[in-house]
Amino acid sequence: MVAFAAASKSLKNPKFQSSISPLFRFQSARTLLVQSVSESVKLQKLADSDSGIWEVNLERPSSKNAIGRDMLRGLRHTLESVNRDQTAKVLMISSSVPKERKTMSPSEVRDFVNSLRSTFSYLEALCIPTIAVIEGAALGGGLELALSCDLRICGENALLGLPETGLAIIPGAGGTQRLPRLVGKSTAKELIFTGRIVGGKDALSMGLVNHCVLAGEAHLKALETARLINQKGPVAIRMAKRAIDGGMEVDSGLVLEEECYEQIMHTKDRLEGLAAFAEKRKPNYIGR
């Protein structure tokens, strides 16, 4: 029912491989460091020029990638590790997560959904930018995971929706709150009330995703975006995210913006940015 297709599969797609230069393929294989957090949660840290870009893959093929309790615990543990590590600058999320609730009792479902909601809220609150990579279907909990990220990038063959009302339930992991903030209240109500599933291009037109690219190329576009973010001042990026997210929740958003700007004023990165601009060179930011 719910799927958020693993971008790692797109790397093996012949069509996808043919669209990448041999140099890019060599660099990707050479610079990727893989750390297994658990059997179902894989944390990848890119190295060399891409150092600072991390990727989490949720993989559980034996159970059709059902997002069970073990995977959820692994995801939370992974996000906590990312949040503690000052070298992490951008996080990409790739997954395939159907529901695993039909065998649960009502109390177990309640506990599970609460844990799901809490984990997605933790993901949303990470101090670094997060990018959801969507290939295939992102339905129900899969879309709610993507909505918890800062940016969403999908392939044109992607399918996105919150079909829970067809099962006589509602999106319970943040979908009723995050979707209207992206696409507007009226559109969100129509999507949730009807359970309508939209394609990648329609998702782009309504503002549900930031980019819709050719099928199989969402991971590449996400990596390009992550690289652009990774080149910017780390403190500035964190403060920008804090100012945007916090300002959306209060009336005095400009006051928060001022506070965040003040945090940047005395950093070495700000002086490096000014010097690099004056000297017409690429800045070397250190995150302080």
Side-chain angles (χ1 to χ4, degrees):
M1 177 62 68
V2 180
F4 184 36
S8 58
K9 295 179 181 178
S10 68
L11 291 174
K12 302 174 184 177
N13 186 311
K15 180 180 178 181
F16 177 72
Q17 289 284 354
S18 65
S19 68
I20 307 176
S21 70
L23 176 60
F24 180 86
R25 287 199 296 270
F26 172 74
Q27 288 179 333
S28 295
R30 180 173 61 87
T31 63
L32 196 61
L33 305 177
V34 180
Q35 172 187 344
S36 295
V37 177
S38 72
E39 290 185 359
S40 56
V41 181
K42 310 296 182 184
L43 178 62
Q44 304 174 344
K45 305 179 184 180
L46 277 65
D48 296 345
S49 61
D50 286 334
S51 179
I53 301 175
W54 293 27
E55 181 172 4
V56 172
N57 283 285
L58 305 184
E59 301 175 358
R60 197 181 172 200
S62 61
S63 300
K64 297 183 180 179
N65 279 5
I67 188 166
R69 298 177 182 87
D70 291 340
M71 177 182 281
L72 192 57
R73 281 194 293 268
L75 176 59
R76 180 60 180 253
H77 174 75
T78 301
L79 294 177
E80 290 173 350
S81 298
V82 172
N83 206 35
R84 287 193 300 266
D85 198 315
Q86 292 297 311
T87 66
K89 298 177 183 177
V90 190
L91 179 66
M92 296 166 56
I93 307 279
S94 305
S95 176
S96 180
V97 289
K99 292 178 184 175
E100 189 185 67
R101 303 181 201 174
K102 63 181 179 181
T103 60
M104 296 182 187
S105 68
S107 62
E108 288 176 325
V109 170
R110 184 182 301 107
D111 290 342
F112 177 75
V113 173
N114 286 342
S115 296
L116 202 63
R117 186 185 304 114
S118 174
T119 300
F120 290 174
S121 293
Y122 190 91
L123 168 61
E124 183 179 45
L126 286 182
C127 59
I128 62 173
T130 54
I131 305 172
V133 183
I134 307 172
E135 289 284 6
L139 308 175
L143 181 55
E144 288 180 300
L145 189 154
L147 292 173
S148 304
C149 294
D150 296 307
L151 307 176
R152 283 150 299 281
I153 297 175
C154 75
E156 61 183 4
N157 67 336
L159 298 173
L160 303 91
L162 296 174
E164 283 87 347
T165 53
L167 300 175
I169 58 175
I170 67 171
T176 64
Q177 303 305 302
R178 295 188 178 100
L179 185 62
R181 285 168 169 77
L182 278 176
V183 302
K185 185 168 65 173
S186 180
T187 299
K189 284 181 176 180
E190 188 261 332
L191 289 175
I192 293 173
F193 292 172
T194 66
R196 181 163 69 94
I197 296 172
V198 300
K201 292 182 179 179
D202 286 339
L204 177 64
S205 67
M206 66 177 59
L208 182 52
V209 299
N210 297 85
H211 298 281
C212 176
V213 296
L214 293 176
E217 296 188 7
H219 188 273
L220 176 59
K221 181 62 178 180
L223 183 58
E224 290 176 351
T225 304
R227 284 171 170 164
L228 289 174
I229 296 172
N230 199 36
Q231 295 171 6
K232 307 303 185 291
V235 179
I237 292 294
R238 294 180 183 220
M239 288 301 103
K241 177 170 178 174
R242 178 185 168 193
I244 294 169
D245 288 349
M248 294 290 290
E249 305 300 327
V250 298
D251 293 331
S252 55
L254 290 176
V255 174
L256 176 59
E257 180 183 78
E258 182 180 359
E259 293 175 359
C260 291
Y261 198 94
E262 185 63 27
Q263 297 293 317
I264 303 167
M265 286 299 294
H266 304 291
T267 63
K268 293 180 180 179
D269 280 350
R270 188 182 75 87
L271 298 178
E272 166 64 11
L274 293 173
F277 180 79
E279 297 166 12
K280 296 181 174 57
R281 60 173 174 81
K282 184 178 179 178
N284 180 27
Y285 294 124
I286 59 175
R288 297 195 298 275

